[in-house]
C-alpha cells in the first residue's frame, strides 16, 4: 500500500517511516533526504537548494516532483511507498495523484501526525542523526549511546542539521501552515485521511499507524 505521512517538521515522520521500512518491506521516499543527498554531492541543483533549505523555505515544486517521479519509476517497492515530507503543496499533491494514476498505482491512505508546536521546538533542537545509516536520535528521548556508536550500524559520525535551530524552525512551521496544512482538507475530502496522536511515545505512534494501515486495507 502506498501511504503519505503528513505532519509539521519534527512530527516524527522520518522516525516512523524507518520503522515501516524495516517491518513491512516498504520503501521510504523522503524528499528532505533526497535534497540533502543532492546538496552534499555538490551538483548544480544541490547548490541551488542548499540556501533555501537552511532558510526553512520550500524548494520549488518542479524540483521535488522531478525527484519523486524518478524514484517512483525506477524503485521496486514490494510493500509500497511511504511518502515522507512529500507532497507539501497542493500542486505537489495533484502531481502525485496524476503520477500514480499514470503508473497504474493508487494511494492507500494519508496519515496525519498531529502534534503541538511547543513539542516540535523541543524535538527539533534536540535531534541528531547517524551520518552513516540515518538512524534518528534525540538528546532527551533517545540520546546518542555513551560509547559514541550508533545502535543500528556502529558508526560514529553523528550530525545535526543546519536547519534544526529555533529560527529556521519558525520559518519551516510558517511554510507548513501556509502551504502544507491545506492538504489535510484535500485528503479528507478524498476520504483518504486518518489522524494519529504524534505526541504519544514512538511505540504508541507506531501502534496507531499500524491500526490506521489495517483500517485502510
Ligand atoms: P524534511 O527533511 O522533510 O524535514 P521536515 O518535514 O521539516 O521534517 P523533519 O525531518 O524535520 O521531521 P520528522 O517529522 O521527520 O521528524 P523526526 O522523525 O526526524 O525537509 C527539510 C527541508 O527540505 C524543508 O524545509 C524544505 O526546504 C525541503 N523540502 C523537503 N521536502 C520538500 C518538498 N516536498 N517540497 C519543497 N521543499 C521540500 O523526529 C524529530 C525528532 O523527534 C527526532 O529527534 C526524534 O528522535 C524525535 N521523535 C520522533 N518521534 C517522537 C515521539 N513520538 N516522541 C518523542 N520524540 C520523538
Amino acid at each position: 500500500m502506498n501511504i503519505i505521512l503528513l505532519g509539521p517538521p519534527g512530527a516524527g515522520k522520518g522516525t516512523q517511516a524507518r520503522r515501516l521500512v524495516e517491518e513491512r518491506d516498504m520503501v521510504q521516499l523522503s524528499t528532505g533526504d533526497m535534497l540533502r543527498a543532492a546538496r552534499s554531492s555538490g551538483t548544480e541543483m544541490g547548490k541551488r537548494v542548499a540556501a533555501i533549505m537552511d532558510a526553512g523555505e520550500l524548494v520549488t515544486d518542479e524540483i521535488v516532483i522531478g525527484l519523486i517521479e524518478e524514484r517512483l519509476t525506477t524503485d521496486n517497492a514490494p510493500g509500497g511507498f511511504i511518502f515522507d515530507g512529500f507532497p507539501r503543496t497542493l500542486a505537489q499533491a495533484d502531481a502525485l495523484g496524476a503520477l500514480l494514476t499514470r503508473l497504474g498505482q493508487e494511494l492507500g491512505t494519508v496519515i496525519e501526525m498531529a502534534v503541538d508546536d511547543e513539542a516540535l521546538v523541543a524535538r527539533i533542537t534536540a535531534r541528531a542523526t547517524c551520518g552513516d545509516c540515518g538512524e534518528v536520535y534525540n538528546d532527551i528521548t533517545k540520546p546518542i549511546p555513551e560509547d559514541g556508536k550508533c545502535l543500528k550500524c556502529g558508526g560514529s559520525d553523528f550530525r545535526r542539521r543546519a536547519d534544526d535551530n529555533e529560527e529556521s524552525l519558525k520559518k519551516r512551521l510558517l511554510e507548513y501552515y501556509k502551504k502544507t496544512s491545506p492538504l489535510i482538507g484535500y485528503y479528507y475530502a478524498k476520504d483518504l485521511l486518518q489522524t494519529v496522536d504524534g505526541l504519544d511515545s514512538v511505540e504508541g505512534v507506531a501502534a496507531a499507524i499500524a491500526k490506521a494501515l489495517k483500517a485502510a486495507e
Side-chain angles (χ1 to χ4, degrees):
M1 189 193 310
N2 298 315
I3 67 166
I4 293 174
L5 294 182
L6 182 64
K13 305 181 293 293
T15 300
Q16 296 298 331
R18 288 176 61 80
R19 287 181 70 116
L20 291 169
V21 168
E22 279 180 16
E23 291 165 8
R24 295 177 184 251
D25 223 3
M26 298 179 86
V27 170
Q28 176 188 12
L29 295 184
S30 156
T31 39
D33 287 349
M34 293 176 207
L35 291 166
R36 278 184 288 280
R39 67 183 285 179
S40 57
S41 69
T43 59
E44 268 316 305
M45 192 263 274
K47 285 180 200 156
R48 281 209 311 274
V49 302
I52 301 175
M53 292 176 79
D54 291 349
E57 289 164 11
L58 291 190
V59 172
T60 62
D61 289 337
E62 194 194 352
I63 289 178
V64 288
I65 291 166
L67 288 171
I68 286 288
E69 180 165 9
E70 196 183 323
R71 292 287 302 274
L72 263 186
T73 48
T74 53
D75 284 20
N76 182 26
F81 289 102
I82 307 159
F83 298 99
D84 161 10
F86 179 91
R88 258 176 154 97
T89 63
L90 291 167
Q92 291 178 23
D94 282 341
L96 177 62
L99 195 53
L100 288 172
T101 303
R102 178 151 67 79
L103 297 171
Q105 296 201 41
E106 52 185 35
L107 200 53
T109 189
V110 177
I111 300 175
E112 180 204 0
M113 303 177 65
V115 281
D116 72 49
D117 297 347
E118 250 173 69
L120 298 179
V121 180
R123 280 190 188 178
I124 287 279
T125 50
R127 173 166 56 185
T129 308
C130 172
D132 294 324
C133 73
E135 185 67 4
V136 185
Y137 291 87
N138 187 286
D139 297 337
I140 300 148
T141 54
K142 187 181 170 187
I144 294 166
E146 275 180 18
D147 65 1
K149 294 209 166 87
C150 173
L151 292 167
K152 273 271 144 59
C153 73
S156 51
D157 176 20
F158 295 98
R159 298 182 185 172
R160 301 210 183 243
R161 278 169 43 178
D163 58 347
D164 274 355
N165 57 72
E166 218 170 318
E167 196 190 332
S168 267
L169 178 64
K170 291 266 161 67
K171 183 74 192 171
R172 284 156 70 194
L173 270 177
L174 205 57
E175 292 282 80
Y176 176 80
Y177 287 119
K178 276 197 320 205
K179 298 174 184 165
T180 310
S181 62
L183 297 182
I184 295 169
Y186 177 97
Y187 285 117
Y188 173 80
K190 286 178 179 280
D191 274 338
L192 284 170
L193 190 77
Q194 300 191 74
T195 302
V196 301
D197 177 9
L199 286 178
D200 201 351
S201 64
V202 171
E203 295 298 327
V205 178
I209 289 176
K211 207 168 152 197
L213 293 183
K214 194 145 186 54
E217 271 172 9

